[in-house]
């Protein structure tokens, strides 16, 4: 949300993707470190980035939109000039931000119950719906249990395969950053969800093949099944990183009106991580029930995501936050 508020409209998607890129780098480093360190030391090692973050936050500028909302006009001007560069004319952008914030300040204080207002239904459905669908695509279950999945699928070195999975996610997120403000949010979301659906179906199919007369399994067929599972999971991660990984967070930072952005964004984030918790907790039981069925359920959810994006998610590329807010009125 902070990145969305400080970014110029033509770079908001690219800069917003940097958040997801940092996450994928962290995941990959965790996979690599996990090959060499015990989990207790690894947990302590995870505290180092948090210390760096606390120090770094002392030097980042305040959000221009928050400064406008707080009525700090002089600080708003100097902050926005610093963010945009000394030669950039900020007059029009300041006028737009101040006008939007003045309209927002004229509204009463926001409570959680205010999210039930009819005029907020469309942005809430789009923002929260994407958060739910992102997690029910199974991404965290796949990432958390990637080593077990590869081992079950018969991959000979699941540790290396997991590192490859994380590394691919980093490079595909970089590719998504370059496309975000060129191709647009909606098309990337639909391509991403469609590719995930196909790859998850093939992962499930590889597990299905392994259940067919395992006593007659030839070396050639076993190799084919392992390669199908590995390649399909790599395609799944690649297509996830292309859209579903970063864009729901970007959309959330863009579509909520200024006066409810904090509350609505917090609710959307809470729902996202609750869904992540739920999927992670039940995934082991799903695999015990049916590995094939588990991945096919996630595949069906990804098909539903394509339909959801086509029906409910607006295109926000190249529009200011104030223009996006006005489009919902």
């Amino acid at each position: 949300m902070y990145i969305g508020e400080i970014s110029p409209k033509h770079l908001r998607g690219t800069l917003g993707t940097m958040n997801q890129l940092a996450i994928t780098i962290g995941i990959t480093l965790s996979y690599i470190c996990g090959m060499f360190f015990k989990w207790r030391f690894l947990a302590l090692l995870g505290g180092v980035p948090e210390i760096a973050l606390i120090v770094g936050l002392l030097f980042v500028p305040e959000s221009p939109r928050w400064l406008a909302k707080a009525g700090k006009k002089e600080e708003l001007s100097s902050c926005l000039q610093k963010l945009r560069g000394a030669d950039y004319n900020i007059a029009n952008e300041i006028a737009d931000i101040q006008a939007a914030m003045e309209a927002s300040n004229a509204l009463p204080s926001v409570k959680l119950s205010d999210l039930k207002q009819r005029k907020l239904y469309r942005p809430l459905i789009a923002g929260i719906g994407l958060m739910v669908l992102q997690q029910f695509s199974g991404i965290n279950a796949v990432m958390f249990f990637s080593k077990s999945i590869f081992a079950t699928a018969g991959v000979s070195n699941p540790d290396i395969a997991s590192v490859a999975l994380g590394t691919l996610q980093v490079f595909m997120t970089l590719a998504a950053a370059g496309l975000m403000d060129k191709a647009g949010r909606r098309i990337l979301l639909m391509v991403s969800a469609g590719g995930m659906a196909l790859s998850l179906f093939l992962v499930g199919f590889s597990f299905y093949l392994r259940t067919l007369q395992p006593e007659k399994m030839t070396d050639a067929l076993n190799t084919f099944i392992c390669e199908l599972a590995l390649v399909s999971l790599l395609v799944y991660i690649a297509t996830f990183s292309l859209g579903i990984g970063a864009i729901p967070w970007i959309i959330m930072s863009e579509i909520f009106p200024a006066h409810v952005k904090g509350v609505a964004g917090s609710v959307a984030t809470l729902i996202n991580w609750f869904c992540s918790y739920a999927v992670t907790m039940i995934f082991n039981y799903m695999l015990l029930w049916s590995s094939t069925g588990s991945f096919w359920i996630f595949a069906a959810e990804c098909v539903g995501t394509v339909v959801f994006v086509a029906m409910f998610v607006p295109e926000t590329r190249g529009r200011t936050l104030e223009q996006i807010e006005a489009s919902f009125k």
Side-chain angles (χ1 to χ4, degrees):
M1 192 175 295
Y2 173 77
I3 294 171
E5 290 190 356
I6 68 170
S7 303
K9 64 181 181 181
H10 65 286
L11 290 176
R12 197 171 57 239
T14 298
L15 294 176
T17 309
M18 294 299 105
N19 177 59
Q20 182 67 18
L21 177 64
I23 291 172
T24 60
I25 292 172
I27 290 171
T28 305
L29 289 175
S30 296
Y31 282 152
I32 295 171
C33 292
M35 296 171 63
F36 303 103
F37 301 119
K38 298 293 185 180
W39 72 266
R40 283 189 175 85
F41 181 76
L42 191 61
L44 290 172
L45 199 61
V48 175
E50 279 66 45
I51 296 171
L53 178 62
I54 291 170
V55 174
L57 284 171
L58 299 174
F59 301 96
V60 300
E62 186 52 82
S63 161
R65 285 169 174 81
W66 183 87
L67 291 171
K69 189 175 180 66
K72 300 182 178 182
K73 295 183 180 181
E74 291 185 6
E75 291 181 46
L76 165 63
S77 179
S78 61
C79 175
L80 194 60
Q81 195 72 70
K82 182 179 179 181
L83 287 167
R84 299 293 182 263
D87 298 328
Y88 187 87
N89 187 349
I90 61 173
N92 290 336
E93 189 172 359
I94 282 185
D96 289 341
I97 291 173
Q98 287 181 326
M101 292 304 109
E102 286 171 6
S104 173
N105 287 340
L107 298 171
S109 299
V110 178
K111 304 184 293 293
L112 193 61
S113 58
D114 292 335
L115 297 183
K116 295 186 292 184
Q117 297 174 26
R118 183 177 295 274
K119 64 181 180 181
L120 296 177
Y121 284 180
R122 287 173 59 207
L124 285 172
I125 288 172
I128 294 177
L130 281 176
M131 289 298 187
V132 172
L133 293 169
Q134 181 196 61
Q135 291 300 337
F136 281 98
S137 69
I139 181 60
N140 278 329
V142 170
M143 296 305 290
F144 293 158
F145 294 101
S146 60
K147 182 177 177 179
S148 300
I149 294 169
F150 283 131
T152 304
V155 176
S156 58
N157 196 328
D159 279 326
I160 298 299
S162 295
V163 172
L165 205 66
T167 304
L168 177 65
Q169 192 175 20
V170 172
F171 284 107
M172 289 307 298
T173 304
L174 269 173
L179 291 170
M180 200 67 63
D181 288 308
K182 296 177 182 178
R185 296 8 168 197
R186 277 168 53 87
I187 186 65
L188 286 177
L189 280 171
M190 289 190 279
V191 169
S192 174
M196 290 166 67
L198 177 60
S199 55
L200 284 168
F201 174 82
L202 292 175
V203 173
F205 184 64
S206 69
F207 281 98
Y208 173 73
L209 290 177
R210 193 167 288 283
T211 62
L212 298 177
Q213 296 182 317
E215 68 281 355
K216 297 182 180 180
M217 183 77 65
T218 64
D219 290 341
L221 180 58
N222 183 62
T223 301
F224 170 76
I225 292 172
C226 292
E227 290 176 350
L228 178 63
L230 177 59
V231 171
S232 298
L233 277 174
L234 291 175
V235 172
Y236 168 75
I237 289 300
T239 50
F240 170 84
S241 303
L242 196 62
I244 297 295
I247 295 178
W249 296 101
I250 295 172
I251 292 286
M252 183 200 74
S253 73
E254 294 175 328
I255 63 173
F256 294 142
H259 69 289
V260 298
K261 191 183 287 283
V263 174
S266 298
V267 170
T269 304
L270 173 65
I271 291 174
N272 178 281
W273 290 113
F274 176 79
C275 291
S276 172
Y277 166 79
V279 172
T280 304
M281 290 299 292
I282 66 173
F283 186 62
N284 260 345
Y285 299 104
M286 291 175 68
L287 289 178
L288 291 173
W289 162 68
S290 170
S291 297
T292 300
S294 299
F295 287 105
W296 284 355
I297 287 172
F298 289 142
E301 186 276 339
C302 290
V303 172
T305 301
V306 176
V307 176
F308 178 85
V309 171
M311 294 179 63
F312 298 108
V313 179
E315 181 56 69
T316 58
R317 175 176 64 100
R319 302 162 74 186
T320 66
L321 297 182
E322 290 71 33
Q323 289 171 337
I324 296 167
E325 181 176 344
S327 69
F328 285 110
K329 292 180 179 178

